[in-house]
Amino acid sequence: MMKRRSAAISPKKKATLPEAGRKLSPRIAASVGFAAVLFFFWWLSCPHILSFHEQNQLFLFDGKYLAERLSVSGGLADWCSEFIVQFFCYPALGALLMALLFCLLQLALFRLFANYALSFPVPLLVLVWMGDVDALVSFPVALTVAALLCPVFEKCGWWGILAFPAAFWLLGPVGAIPMIYALIRRHSVREVVSLVAGAALCYALYRLFLRQYPARDVFCGINYYRGKYTLPALQVAAMLALPVLFVCDGWLRGAVRKPLPQALMILVFVAVGLVGMRYTYTGDLHTLLKLDYHIRYNRFEKVLETAQKERPQSAPACTAVNLALFMTGRMDKDFEKYFQCGTDGLIMPVVRDNISDIATSEVFWRLGLPNQTLQYCFDLQESIPNCRKSGRFTCRIAQCHILDGHYDIASRYLDVLSKTLFYRSWAKAHRKLLWNEQAIDAHPVYSVLKRFRMDEEICPGKVNFDQILACLYHKNPDNMMAALYFQAWNKLILLEQMTDE
Amino acid sequence: MNRLRVISAALAATLLLGSCSSVVEVDEQPEIFPDYKGVTVPAGIAPMDFNLPADYERVRVEVVGSEGGSMTGGGRWARFGVRRWKALTEANKGGRLTFRVSGKKDGRWERFAAFDMEVSREPLDEFGITYRQIAPGYTTFSSIGIYQRDLHSFKEYPMLTSTLLPGQCMGCHTPNRTSPDCFMFHVRGAKGGTFIRREGKSEWVITKTDQTIGNIAYTNWHPSGNYYAGSIDLVRQCFWTANHRWIEVADLAADVVVVDERSRELLVSPELTSEDYLEMQPAFSADGTTIYFCRARARDVPREIDEVRYDLCSISFDPETGQVGDTVSVVIPAADNGFSVTWPRPSFDGRYLIYCKADAGCFPIEHKEADLWLMDLQTGENRVLDEVNSSYSESYHSWSSGSRWFLFSTRRFDGLYGQVYFSCIGDDGRCTKPFLLPQRNPRAFYHSIRYSFNVPDFTSGKVDLDLKGMHRSVFKGKRGRLTPVGAQMPSYAPDLVEDELSIN
């Protein structure tokens, strides 16, 4: 059967080497510039998002972990993305990896389009989408690999029948894009049959191995998005955009392919992207993430700077700010200068998500209430919507059990952390504390918290929390946090009463 | 012939070990995990793999049956082939298996004194067990699922997991006397309901009515399958401050009701729905003419949370008319004696009843001191099951269909994660040393798993739950409703709102 080259999409003309170099160098420069901008964007503007991603997973160097990922469709993309995300605990490194990933996506798409400018919309769309902090890196990873596979699928012939379901299993529904690309490029019966037969095999894979997932999740991406109730419109748009752009690429010919129109198109795409990012990368949640990011690394002055600049008005943010006020020694004099919302701004009640209670868990830890810390951290971890575990919360949970003297349980968590790249040295250091009361009593943190912690079994539901603060202070007058929080608690109650009157 | 086999196996092992390096004889039995020394297992159980302490690089085991047969196992842990193991246990029913373990440490083999494992004559004909896997958390859980495990192999099958029903809690799979064809489980959340499979049909039912304060939980089937009893509870959790206790669970209000599955009537009896008492965890007797349940005086919770103590009570039930008797008998006056009885489970042959005893409360899994007790229903004697209890909590026990084997959940490893153990009760009422649910490489499995085995139960066959349309039926499907009949439900204070445990 003669191969038909589609008239809709014309191949790139062969050029001499110097000519090719002259054509390519501005484009490569644009791609490198794109990567550089993204690097600085992620590093300087969004380290809190990188940190949030990192703290909502726990990548293990473990055969069982890999097997679990590969047991569902999209698993390879998940595993690769989680491998990348573990490096986000170093913001500069995380930013570099994200920039490289997006640049690779753009370059992979560049190979597929005759119009260079058309290689930008999808990376920009995904960039806008990733302003939603539940948008996972799995999606751009899957898209990048799919884009790299497009030329392979174009040449694989009847093997496409098997390659398509294989791509579906490894990358998720984005694995259909190479097959669609091949169909658009070749316009032949073989590709149509491969697409249909491959789709049937994908459906068979779903029925045989993925019965514990709804069809919507399987065919729209099990782990492209952390949340489980919604199908983000931008994700769908990005998935559909590529096939549309493949078709548009053939229509945009002639003068449009000259450098100036291409540059103008890129500018338009970037401008639209910037407008989109204005909406997706701002808001109360991002402010809260910034506060939490600084708390995570004990930069309490930065918490207050952020609060002064962005003026958050939510209870979780208020808890973070009050914690920072105490840690910087400014609670008694600057308490009223910041937004307060009653006692919930000191100690948040349980909120079933993976962010709101983090500052409160830090407060409990520093107060010497490991059981309450454990409760909050455990629930924060269990609130991660895609059921992943968290390195940050697992560390704190292990610490609580060490403080409680539950060394068997702590050992279990330390063993898990030993299988990670960035928590293993922490786990090794903490393993020395197990069954070693002397080492715990000499530890700068545990020795203090052990003196603070309550020996009395009180159920906070039985008494008000200010009574617990009073008990903590009564037990150990060095527990200034308990004293100041008790004062603040009563101040806020008084304010509430005055407001009611 | 048998002696010849023992000698040849021992000779083969000696030659093998001798050819590798010198062997040191150790007079003691090996320290193994799980501790399977002296346990009694049913014939056909999955291989009882075990580990030596972590500093042993290799293990070799010779197993010899007292009634014949032998096999070897080993590797990084004592690993046994499934077919050969099952054949060996079948051949040695009523006999014993003798294990001779050798472990390699620091380049040197150590050969330990032999230990035995008994193979019970009592069959365990069940296909396997069902359980919920859930993180031992507080108010939130993400990954949760109901699973079934083949007891004759290591195969575990998910029945229903939270990936299929995001945002919904599920659990409390309750079969009727281990039947895989008559069971129910609950799904809680915004689209919750109770799934009931019975007489070849499946349906979803909302068990909350206009007159009741919540959904029915802690369900138990009548032997006929025509009724089930359950309790309607308003649950509160409390979290302690010191390091001895984590969570306490208490009922603000609780009532026991009976549902006639045929007519979908909710039978309300004043004796089981008193405002002055908390009635919960009903269980039908083997002949279905008695309902056992737990009852405590209502207290001001959480202020008096440590004073809530449940008696074991009973009341008659007429399966012909669906009428509950009008006199409550206190079978075990626990509250007056300073303890609390929960989770009554009569055996299906009517001989025994196992219950949990703890210092207080209705949630024994959170009570370290909670132990299993056995009541002989023929003699009325009660005794603590010292032979199965540990210094950690034991609870969630269930009987096999033959009423000889029972399983229970315990936190004896670390006080937090629950595991499943099995034991057999003899004609003399004594129980065998319990054994842990077998796993491949058990140390690695049980040390790394971050879920508890919750509410386990036997299943006599593999449960065939058709997942096709399950998602749709939960989120968009119709629900049947119950109609309260009989007495008026008590009216509780309006600020008592059902607090469903939230899910991710």
Side-chain angles (χ1 to χ4, degrees):
Chain A
M1 184 174 167
M2 277 185 63
K3 283 187 189 175
R4 274 197 309 157
R5 303 285 287 188
S6 163
I9 300 173
S10 50
K12 294 183 185 166
K13 286 182 190 170
K14 282 188 186 174
T16 60
L17 210 53
E19 274 178 40
R22 274 199 296 275
K23 276 185 187 168
L24 280 176
S25 56
R27 293 171 181 175
I28 298 294
S31 298
V32 169
F34 180 55
V37 166
L38 283 182
F39 167 70
F40 286 109
F41 169 71
W42 285 108
W43 182 31
L44 299 175
S45 299
C46 302
H48 55 284
I49 298 180
L50 299 178
S51 173
F52 183 71
H53 280 302
E54 190 277 334
Q55 79 185 31
N56 279 280
Q57 65 159 54
L58 185 63
F59 182 88
L60 301 180
F61 285 89
D62 186 290
K64 194 173 156 197
Y65 188 84
L66 175 60
E68 269 173 25
R69 292 294 162 266
L70 293 179
S71 65
V72 295
S73 75
L76 182 65
D78 292 344
W79 189 88
C80 292
S81 74
E82 285 166 17
F83 178 86
I84 293 169
V85 168
Q86 72 179 316
F87 294 95
F88 287 9
C89 50
Y90 296 104
L93 184 53
L96 180 63
L97 290 168
M98 285 294 274
L100 288 174
L101 175 64
F102 276 79
C103 184
L104 184 60
L105 172 60
Q106 186 269 321
L107 286 171
L109 292 174
F110 169 36
R111 287 175 67 207
L112 305 179
F113 292 115
N115 287 279
Y116 173 72
L118 293 185
S119 64
F120 281 91
V122 168
L124 286 168
L125 194 55
V126 175
L127 183 63
V128 170
W129 176 67
M130 291 204 74
D132 180 343
V133 297
D134 282 336
L136 292 171
V137 177
S138 310
F139 186 59
V141 165
L143 273 179
T144 304
V145 176
L148 289 168
L149 284 175
C150 285
V152 175
F153 270 63
E154 194 187 350
K155 293 177 185 137
C156 71
W158 288 107
W159 285 105
I161 296 176
L162 294 178
F164 174 19
F168 167 77
W169 191 264
L170 295 173
L171 305 177
V174 156
I177 289 174
M179 196 69 241
I180 295 172
Y181 174 81
L183 176 64
I184 293 173
R185 286 281 297 193
R186 295 204 158 264
H187 270 214
S188 77
V189 172
R190 184 179 65 195
E191 270 67 37
V192 173
V193 171
S194 298
L195 182 68
V196 171
L201 282 175
C202 293
Y203 186 75
L205 285 173
Y206 154 63
R207 296 283 297 183
L208 285 171
F209 302 114
L210 297 172
R211 300 311 312 282
Q212 296 289 343
Y213 293 87
R216 189 199 78 168
D217 285 3
V218 173
F219 296 109
C220 295
I222 289 175
N223 207 41
Y224 291 159
Y225 190 71
R226 194 178 282 121
K228 289 296 155 201
Y229 297 96
T230 53
L231 186 58
L234 285 176
Q235 178 191 316
V236 176
M239 285 163 74
L240 295 176
L242 268 177
V244 169
L245 288 171
F246 291 149
V247 172
C248 290
D249 189 43
W251 297 338
L252 295 172
R253 286 185 276 179
V256 181
R257 291 191 185 173
K258 288 193 174 1
L260 186 58
Q262 293 283 297
L264 284 172
M265 280 165 68
I266 292 172
L267 281 172
V268 167
F269 294 142
V270 168
V272 171
L274 284 172
V275 169
M277 285 167 70
R278 173 84 177 76
Y279 285 102
T280 60
Y281 283 85
T282 55
D284 288 344
L285 179 58
H286 281 270
T287 305
L288 184 58
L289 291 184
K290 285 176 193 169
L291 297 176
D292 178 59
Y293 170 62
H294 294 310
I295 286 178
R296 185 178 182 187
Y297 296 106
N298 295 321
R299 293 195 286 255
F300 296 103
E301 288 289 351
K302 287 277 188 190
V303 173
L304 297 175
E305 274 173 35
T306 306
Q308 278 171 350
K309 194 167 128 198
E310 303 199 17
R311 304 261 169 216
Q313 306 261 303
S314 65
C318 190
T319 323
V321 168
N322 284 328
L323 172 63
L325 282 171
F326 170 75
M327 295 301 293
T328 52
R330 289 153 63 173
M331 192 162 200
D332 45 0
K333 60 180 172 56
D334 288 346
F335 185 70
E336 284 92 0
K337 289 182 187 168
Y338 292 86
F339 169 77
Q340 298 295 338
C341 57
T343 54
D344 284 0
L346 286 176
I347 303 283
M348 279 275 297
V350 169
V351 174
R352 288 161 183 157
D353 65 34
N354 54 338
I355 180 67
S356 302
D357 284 336
I358 297 182
T360 304
S361 74
E362 295 287 327
V363 170
F364 283 144
W365 176 247
R366 287 168 173 80
L367 278 171
L369 290 170
N371 276 11
Q372 276 60 41
T373 311
L374 189 57
Q375 174 201 340
Y376 273 55
C377 285
F378 210 103
D379 278 353
L380 280 161
Q381 182 164 248
E382 289 300 304
S383 297
I384 297 173
N386 61 348
C387 306
R388 298 295 192 258
K389 300 301 176 194
S390 161
R392 181 183 179 183
F393 300 139
T394 300
C395 285
R396 185 64 93 211
I397 289 168
Q399 285 182 297
C400 291
H401 284 298
I402 290 173
L403 194 55
D404 270 345
H406 301 137
Y407 302 123
D408 284 325
I409 307 173
S411 161
R412 177 192 286 265
Y413 294 120
L414 293 179
D415 282 347
V416 171
L417 292 168
S418 301
K419 294 180 187 172
T420 67
L421 191 55
F422 295 111
Y423 294 102
R424 68 165 70 132
S425 52
W426 183 94
K428 191 175 169 187
H430 277 72
R431 195 178 292 288
K432 294 177 187 161
L433 300 174
L434 300 183
W435 294 282
N436 189 347
E437 296 291 334
Q438 245 181 334
I440 291 175
D441 290 340
H443 195 278
V445 172
Y446 293 109
S447 57
V448 172
L449 294 178
K450 220 174 149 184
R451 289 200 305 276
F452 285 1
R453 73 159 311 155
M454 291 177 70
D455 298 319
E456 202 183 338
E457 291 282 10
I458 297 178
C459 178
K462 284 175 155 186
V463 300
N464 290 331
F465 199 78
D466 57 336
Q467 290 169 281
I468 295 198
L469 292 168
C471 287
L472 284 167
Y473 181 66
H474 177 74
K475 192 201 174 226
N476 194 321
D478 289 338
N479 193 343
M480 291 312 300
M481 190 174 195
L484 288 172
Y485 266 68
F486 179 80
Q487 268 179 18
W489 187 283
N490 285 293
K491 212 182 281 189
L492 288 166
I493 297 280
L494 202 60
L495 268 170
E496 259 180 45
Q497 285 168 355
M498 283 165 59
T499 312
D500 288 343
E501 282 162 12
Chain B
M1 191 63 180
N2 187 38
R3 200 179 295 171
L4 197 60
R5 285 205 181 107
V6 172
I7 293 168
S8 55
L11 188 63
T14 309
L15 282 172
L16 191 60
L17 289 173
S19 67
C20 303
S21 57
S22 60
V23 178
V24 175
E25 294 287 337
V26 177
D27 288 337
E28 292 159 359
Q29 290 179 340
E31 192 189 314
I32 62 171
F33 175 85
D35 181 13
Y36 285 152
K37 291 178 287 192
V39 300
T40 302
V41 300
I45 189 78
M48 304 285 280
D49 288 10
F50 58 85
N51 299 78
L52 284 182
D55 46 358
Y56 286 85
E57 303 135 28
R58 305 294 291 179
V59 182
R60 287 221 179 88
V61 189
E62 306 113 50
V63 188
V64 177
S66 62
E67 307 304 313
S70 65
M71 69 178 293
T72 56
R76 285 185 296 117
W77 73 91
R79 180 188 172 121
F80 303 105
V82 173
R83 272 194 222 146
R84 291 192 66 191
W85 169 268
K86 276 161 72 166
L88 187 65
T89 57
E90 292 287 353
N92 285 277
K93 229 185 266 192
R96 73 168 58 93
L97 303 177
T98 301
F99 290 73
R100 196 65 194 262
V101 179
S102 304
K104 187 178 180 184
K105 182 165 79 169
D106 300 327
R108 190 180 71 166
W109 284 95
E110 294 173 5
R111 196 146 167 244
F112 297 93
F115 67 85
D116 293 332
M117 201 183 280
E118 307 287 331
V119 182
S120 175
R121 280 194 193 285
E122 300 293 344
L124 181 58
D125 295 325
E126 269 70 10
F127 160 78
I129 61 173
T130 57
Y131 44 80
R132 182 170 69 168
Q133 275 191 357
I134 181 171
Y138 296 80
T139 64
T140 307
F141 23 84
S142 56
S143 181
I144 187 174
I146 305 173
Y147 295 80
Q148 55 185 328
R149 160 73 193 268
D150 179 0
L151 281 180
H152 311 286
S153 71
F154 297 106
K155 289 182 189 157
E156 181 188 72
Y157 306 92
M159 283 169 57
L160 188 64
T161 66
S162 53
T163 47
L164 184 63
L165 304 178
Q168 311 299 305
C169 174
M170 63 200 67
C172 304
H173 172 263
T174 310
N176 184 5
R177 275 134 180 82
T178 79
S179 167
D181 302 313
C182 182
F183 63 87
M184 68 171 72
F185 60 84
H186 308 299
V187 170
R188 299 280 185 249
K191 304 287 179 183
T194 296
F195 178 90
I196 299 178
R197 159 88 58 82
R198 182 178 163 268
E199 292 181 347
K201 289 187 208 155
S202 302
E203 57 178 354
W204 286 95
V205 179
I206 300 279
T207 55
K208 186 180 184 315
T209 70
D210 292 338
Q211 290 184 33
T212 51
I213 48 176
N215 290 298
I216 299 177
Y218 297 129
T219 47
N220 185 265
W221 285 94
H222 188 270
S224 65
N226 294 330
Y227 303 93
Y228 61 88
S231 48
I232 300 171
D233 307 77
L234 285 190
V235 179
R236 281 292 179 272
Q237 284 187 305
C238 304
F239 309 100
W240 299 98
T241 50
N243 63 337
H244 306 295
R245 301 159 77 173
W246 284 303
I247 302 174
E248 186 62 78
V249 176
D251 284 333
L252 296 178
D255 297 307
V256 167
V257 292
V258 178
V259 175
D260 185 336
E261 235 318 272
R262 298 166 295 184
S263 58
R264 290 229 192 108
E265 286 177 338
L266 186 98
L267 311 171
V268 180
S269 160
E271 282 73 23
L272 299 176
T273 54
S274 163
E275 274 187 64
D276 298 328
Y277 287 99
L278 306 168
E279 297 95 351
M280 58 151 210
Q281 294 178 4
F284 283 99
S285 61
D287 59 6
T289 59
T290 304
I291 300 175
Y292 293 97
F293 63 99
C294 304
R295 188 179 76 168
R297 283 229 166 257
R299 296 273 186 184
D300 180 13
V301 168
R303 199 171 58 86
E304 295 179 310
I305 201 165
D306 281 335
E307 322 298 325
V308 181
R309 295 192 172 93
Y310 289 81
D311 297 330
L312 179 64
C313 300
S314 68
I315 195 165
S316 64
F317 178 74
D318 183 353
E320 300 297 321
T321 59
Q323 292 299 314
V324 175
D326 47 22
T327 309
V328 173
S329 306
V330 178
V331 178
I332 299 178
D336 291 340
N337 291 289
F339 60 89
S340 186
V341 165
T342 51
W343 210 258
R345 282 290 177 269
S347 61
F348 301 130
D349 61 3
R351 177 74 197 272
Y352 297 110
L353 184 147
I354 296 183
Y355 58 91
C356 260
K357 185 174 165 184
D359 290 347
C362 63
F363 218 63
I365 197 72
E366 292 292 343
H367 281 252
K368 204 171 160 188
E369 79 286 358
D371 281 334
L372 297 183
W373 281 64
L374 182 77
M375 180 192 295
D376 188 326
L377 291 171
Q378 290 176 359
T379 64
E381 273 181 48
N382 281 274
R383 70 174 187 89
V384 62
L385 289 177
D386 282 325
E387 54 278 37
V388 306
N389 289 321
S390 70
S391 55
Y392 288 93
S393 70
E394 277 77 31
S395 67
Y396 292 139
H397 39 281
S398 294
W399 291 94
S400 67
S401 55
S403 298
R404 284 305 202 181
W405 292 91
F406 64 94
L407 54 73
F408 58 95
S409 185
T410 173
R411 287 183 168 182
R412 61 187 57 187
F413 285 179
D414 53 21
L416 181 62
Y417 287 87
Q419 305 86 30
V420 183
Y421 274 73
F422 301 83
S423 179
C424 181
I425 189 160
D427 293 329
D428 57 355
R430 300 294 304 177
C431 300
T432 58
K433 180 178 173 183
F435 67 88
L436 177 63
L437 176 67
Q439 300 287 355
R440 280 285 187 228
N441 198 352
R443 173 178 288 119
F445 180 89
Y446 283 108
H447 190 66
S448 64
I449 190 167
R450 290 175 78 169
Y451 299 98
S452 286
F453 291 80
N454 183 241
V455 198
D457 207 333
F458 284 105
T459 178
S460 51
K462 192 176 177 193
V463 180
D464 181 21
L465 189 63
D466 185 9
L467 294 177
K468 188 178 168 185
M470 177 67 73
H471 181 87
R472 176 175 283 275
S473 69
V474 168
F475 287 96
K476 291 182 181 157
K478 292 181 192 166
R479 300 281 191 272
R481 296 265 170 188
L482 301 180
T483 309
V485 297
Q488 188 73 15
M489 286 293 294
S491 53
Y492 292 102
D495 59 345
L496 282 184
V497 176
E498 182 174 3
D499 180 20
E500 289 190 315
L501 289 181
S502 175
I503 48 289
N504 203 9

